[in-house]
Amino acid sequence: MCWSRALLSCWTLLLVQLLCLEAVPISMDKTKVKEPEKTPEEPPASDTGLHYDRYLREVIDFLEKDQHFREKLHNTDMEDIKQGKLAKELDFVSHHVRTKLDELKRQEVNRLRTLIKAKQDLEGGNDIAVDHQALLKQFEYLNHMNPHTFEVDDLDRLIKSATKDLENYDKERHDEFKRYEMMKEHDRREHLKTLDEDERKKEEEHYEEMKKKHADHPKVNHPGSQNQLKEVWEEADGLDPEDFDPKTFFNLHDTNGDGFFDEQELEALFTKELEKIYDPTNEEDDMVEMEEERLRMREHVMNEVDSNKDRLVSLDEFLVATKKKEFLEPDSWETLEQNQAYTDEEMREFEEHLAQQEQDLSLKAFDLQKQRDELERQQEQLNAQKIELQQAVEHMERLKSQKVEPPPEVHVEGNALPEIHAFDNQQHHEQEAQPQGHEPAPHAPQDTLQEHHEQPVEVLAQQGLPQTHQDLPPGHQEAAQGQH
C-alpha cells in the first residue's frame, strides 16, 4: 500500500512538472534566491621574472611530490644546494617522477627551439639552416646535448642558473630604477633651460611644493616589524590587534599553502604601508617609485628573516624573527625621498653619457642624410636615363613604322601614262620607222641629256611629272626600273 501511494505521488509530481513546462514563467524574487557557492580559485603562482619560470616551478612541484626528495630539500642548507649536493638526490626519486621530468625537459627544449625559429623568421633568415644545438648553448639551465631525459646535471644546472639569475634580477631592477630617476631629473633640468627667468622660478617653486606634499604622509612602520604586521592583521584581515598570533598570521598569508613566504607573498604584506605614501591620483606620487619601495622592503625582510638564504621564509624562520628585538622595537624606516637613488657623481657621469650618445646619434643622422641625398641623386640619374631610353625606343618605333607603311600611290585617270614615258615611247617608234640605211639622227649632247635627267625635282613637279619611281603607279615602277 505504501509503495502504491509513493508511486502515485511520483506520477502526480511528474505530471505537474510537465504542465509547468508549458506555463508562463513567473518572475522570482532574486533577493530571496541563494546563489550557488563559488568554489574558491587557487591563487596564481608567483612569478620569479625569469624567462624559464614555468619550467622551474613545474620541476620543483614534481620533485616535491617525491617524499624522499621533499625531506632532503627541506633539510639541506642553501650553500649545499648551490654546490650541487641536492641534485645528486635525483637518483633516488621514483620512476614516475623521473618520467614526468623527462617530459618537462622535452617540452622546454621544444619551446626554446620554437623561440629560436621565431627569432630567425623575424630576422629574415627563412632559407638558412638552423643549428639548434649551437644556439641552445646560450641556455645554461639545461643540458642541451641530451634533450630527451632529465638527469642530475640538468637539476644542478637549473638550481645554479636560477640562483644566479634571481640575484642578478634584483640588481638589474635597482639599476633600471636608478636610470629612470636620473633621466627624470635630466628631463626636468632640460625643461628648465627652455623657460625664461619668471617661468623657471615658478617651475622650481612648483617642484619644491610637490616634494613637500609627497613627504607629508603618515608614519611608515618598519617592514616586517610587529607594528607593521599587526596593522595588516587589523585592517586587511579584520582581526583584533590584541589577538595577534604570528603562526595564525603566517598561515593566513601563505596564499599557496606551501609552508613558505615567497618574495611575492612578502611584497603583498607591504601594500598597506605603501598606500600611506603613494596615491595614483596624486600628481606628486610616482608609481614607479612605489614599486621600488616595495622591492626595498622585501629585500630588507629577506635579509633579516631568511636565515638559510634560499629566498624563502619558512614558518620556523618567521617565528624565530618575531622573537627578536628588531621585531618588537624596530628602528624608523627611511623611505625613498629620504634616500636618493643616485649620487651627484653618478648624475654627472649619466649626463656625460647622454651627451656622448646624442653626439653619436647626430653623427649617424648626418651620415644617413648624406646617404639619403646620394641615393636621391642616383635615383634622379636613373630616372633621366629611363626617360632617355624611353624616348630612344619611341624614336626607333616611329622609324620602324615609317618603313613598314606602303608609299602613297599616284592616281592617273584612265590608261594615261606620265608624259616622260609617252615621250620615250614616241622616240622608240620613230627609230623603228626610219629606214635601215638612214643614219639615226645625232643624239643630243651628253651634257644636254645629263641636264635633262638632272632637272630639279621642283621643275618636274611643276610640269606634273613624277618625281621618283615611287611616285609612279604600281604597274609602271618595274618598267621604269627596267629602262634604267
Side-chain angles (χ1 to χ4, degrees):
M1 187 68 178
C2 293
W3 282 106
S4 61
R5 288 180 181 177
L7 185 61
L8 180 61
S9 300
C10 290
W11 278 108
T12 305
L13 180 62
L14 180 62
L15 180 61
V16 171
Q17 289 178 348
L18 290 174
L19 290 174
C20 288
L21 290 175
E22 300 296 331
V24 178
I26 301 174
S27 60
M28 299 169 56
D29 186 359
K30 295 183 180 180
T31 59
K32 298 181 180 180
V33 177
K34 263 191 178 180
E35 294 184 358
E37 295 183 359
K38 296 181 180 179
T39 56
E41 297 181 357
E42 295 184 0
S46 54
D47 191 355
T48 60
L50 304 177
H51 68 89
Y52 52 93
D53 175 79
R54 180 176 178 179
Y55 174 66
L56 173 65
R57 291 190 173 279
E58 288 178 343
V59 169
I60 293 175
D61 290 343
F62 274 97
L63 284 173
E64 287 187 340
K65 291 179 181 179
D66 185 88
Q67 183 178 359
H68 171 78
F69 191 89
R70 184 171 62 252
E71 292 176 356
K72 288 291 183 180
L73 177 63
H74 293 171
N75 297 328
T76 305
D77 188 74
M78 190 59 189
E79 290 301 323
D80 293 338
I81 294 176
K82 292 180 180 179
Q83 293 175 6
K85 293 182 179 180
L86 182 64
K88 297 177 182 178
E89 300 295 329
L90 184 67
D91 293 332
F92 303 100
V93 172
S94 65
H95 176 72
H96 169 70
V97 174
R98 290 294 296 270
T99 303
K100 186 61 181 178
L101 293 176
D102 294 343
E103 181 183 347
L104 291 176
K105 182 178 179 181
R106 287 192 292 269
Q107 292 175 358
E108 183 68 7
V109 171
N110 289 334
R111 183 184 75 88
L112 295 178
R113 287 175 173 170
T114 304
L115 290 176
I116 292 171
K117 182 65 170 61
K119 181 180 178 182
Q120 186 194 25
D121 293 343
L122 289 174
E123 294 175 353
N126 297 334
D127 300 332
I128 303 175
V130 181
D131 186 359
H132 287 95
Q133 292 298 332
L135 294 174
L136 285 172
K137 288 182 180 179
Q138 60 185 307
F139 305 107
E140 299 178 354
Y141 62 92
L142 51 74
N143 182 10
H144 65 279
M145 299 303 296
N146 177 19
H148 304 294
T149 58
F150 190 93
E151 304 295 341
V152 173
D153 183 50
D154 291 294
L155 183 57
D156 185 45
R157 285 169 175 262
L158 184 60
I159 292 172
K160 291 180 178 178
S161 297
T163 303
K164 182 183 69 174
D165 293 342
L166 286 172
E167 290 174 353
N168 295 334
Y169 181 69
D170 286 343
K171 183 179 182 302
E172 291 173 358
R173 284 182 62 181
H174 285 304
D175 293 340
E176 183 179 354
F177 174 74
K178 182 185 292 186
R179 288 191 294 270
Y180 168 81
E181 288 289 293
M182 290 190 292
M183 179 59 74
K184 188 167 71 170
E185 176 63 19
H186 171 75
D187 292 341
R188 188 185 73 84
R189 294 178 182 180
E190 292 297 315
H191 175 64
L192 291 176
K193 293 178 182 179
T194 62
L195 305 177
D196 57 30
E197 186 175 354
D198 293 337
E199 292 177 340
R200 191 182 304 112
K201 185 178 179 181
K202 291 180 182 179
E203 189 69 22
E204 289 284 6
E205 291 175 354
H206 178 71
Y207 175 72
E208 293 298 329
E209 181 184 353
M210 291 296 101
K211 285 179 63 177
K212 290 179 180 179
K213 191 175 180 181
H214 173 71
D216 185 17
H217 54 72
K219 179 185 176 182
V220 177
N221 292 314
H222 195 95
S225 66
Q226 184 181 36
N227 294 335
Q228 191 256 317
L229 298 185
K230 276 188 175 182
E231 196 168 293
V232 176
W233 174 276
E234 180 181 5
E235 296 185 11
D237 302 331
L239 301 175
D240 188 349
E242 299 297 328
D243 299 332
F244 176 76
D245 178 61
K247 186 175 182 179
T248 304
F249 181 89
F250 185 92
N251 293 329
L252 283 174
H253 294 276
D254 178 18
T255 55
N256 58 5
D258 62 351
F260 295 90
F261 275 164
D262 59 26
E263 295 175 347
Q264 284 70 33
E265 289 170 337
L266 275 179
E267 290 181 358
L269 299 178
F270 311 135
T271 301
K272 289 294 180 183
E273 299 301 318
L274 294 171
E275 289 176 350
K276 298 177 182 178
I277 315 172
Y278 299 96
D279 185 348
T281 61
N282 293 339
E283 177 188 357
E284 67 275 7
D285 297 336
D286 189 339
M287 295 300 103
V288 177
E289 294 179 355
M290 183 186 75
E291 293 305 318
E292 175 67 13
E293 190 74 73
R294 190 193 302 272
L295 176 59
R296 291 177 67 242
M297 291 180 174
R298 187 255 293 169
E299 286 182 334
H300 172 75
V301 172
M302 278 292 187
N303 292 331
E304 295 290 329
V305 181
D306 182 20
S307 57
N308 62 357
K309 305 303 177 185
D310 61 351
R311 302 178 72 89
L312 294 171
V313 176
S314 65
L315 175 60
D316 293 337
E317 290 174 330
F318 181 75
L319 295 178
V320 170
T322 58
K323 298 175 183 179
K324 293 181 180 180
K325 181 182 178 181
E326 291 81 2
F327 178 78
L328 301 174
E329 299 176 6
D331 298 329
S332 60
W333 176 253
E334 294 183 352
T335 55
L336 273 177
E337 67 264 12
Q338 298 169 296
N339 292 273
Q340 192 170 347
Y342 54 88
T343 63
D344 294 339
E345 180 66 19
E346 288 175 334
M347 186 64 194
R348 184 185 62 80
E349 293 177 357
F350 179 75
E351 290 189 324
E352 290 177 355
H353 179 66
L354 285 181
Q356 184 63 41
Q357 280 186 334
E358 186 176 355
Q359 184 178 357
D360 294 341
L361 289 175
S362 299
L363 291 175
K364 288 181 180 179
F366 179 73
D367 292 339
L368 290 174
Q369 185 62 38
K370 285 178 62 177
Q371 294 177 12
R372 179 181 178 181
D373 295 341
E374 178 64 20
L375 290 174
E376 289 179 352
R377 187 185 63 81
Q378 293 178 3
Q379 184 65 38
E380 291 176 357
Q381 291 180 350
L382 290 175
N383 291 337
Q385 293 176 2
K386 183 179 179 182
I387 293 173
E388 292 178 359
L389 182 60
Q390 289 177 348
Q391 292 176 350
V393 170
E394 293 174 358
H395 181 66
M396 294 296 293
E397 291 293 334
R398 283 197 302 270
L399 294 177
K400 185 177 179 180
S401 62
Q402 290 176 359
K403 290 180 180 180
V404 172
E405 292 179 359
E409 298 180 353
V410 178
H411 298 281
V412 182
E413 296 181 1
N415 296 325
L417 294 175
E419 294 180 2
I420 184 171
H421 292 283
F423 176 75
D424 292 340
N425 291 336
Q426 183 179 358
Q427 284 187 341
H428 179 67
H429 288 301
E430 289 178 355
Q431 289 176 1
E432 290 180 351
Q434 290 179 356
Q436 296 179 354
H438 190 273
E439 295 181 359
H443 292 286
Q446 187 70 21
D447 296 338
T448 307
L449 293 175
Q450 186 173 0
E451 290 176 1
H452 173 72
H453 288 288
E454 292 180 356
Q455 289 183 2
V457 177
E458 290 82 358
V459 177
L460 295 177
Q462 291 175 1
Q463 295 176 359
L465 298 176
Q467 302 169 16
T468 60
H469 291 168
Q470 284 80 4
D471 296 336
L472 296 175
H476 300 282
Q477 292 180 8
E478 297 178 358
Q481 292 176 359
Q483 290 177 4
H484 283 284

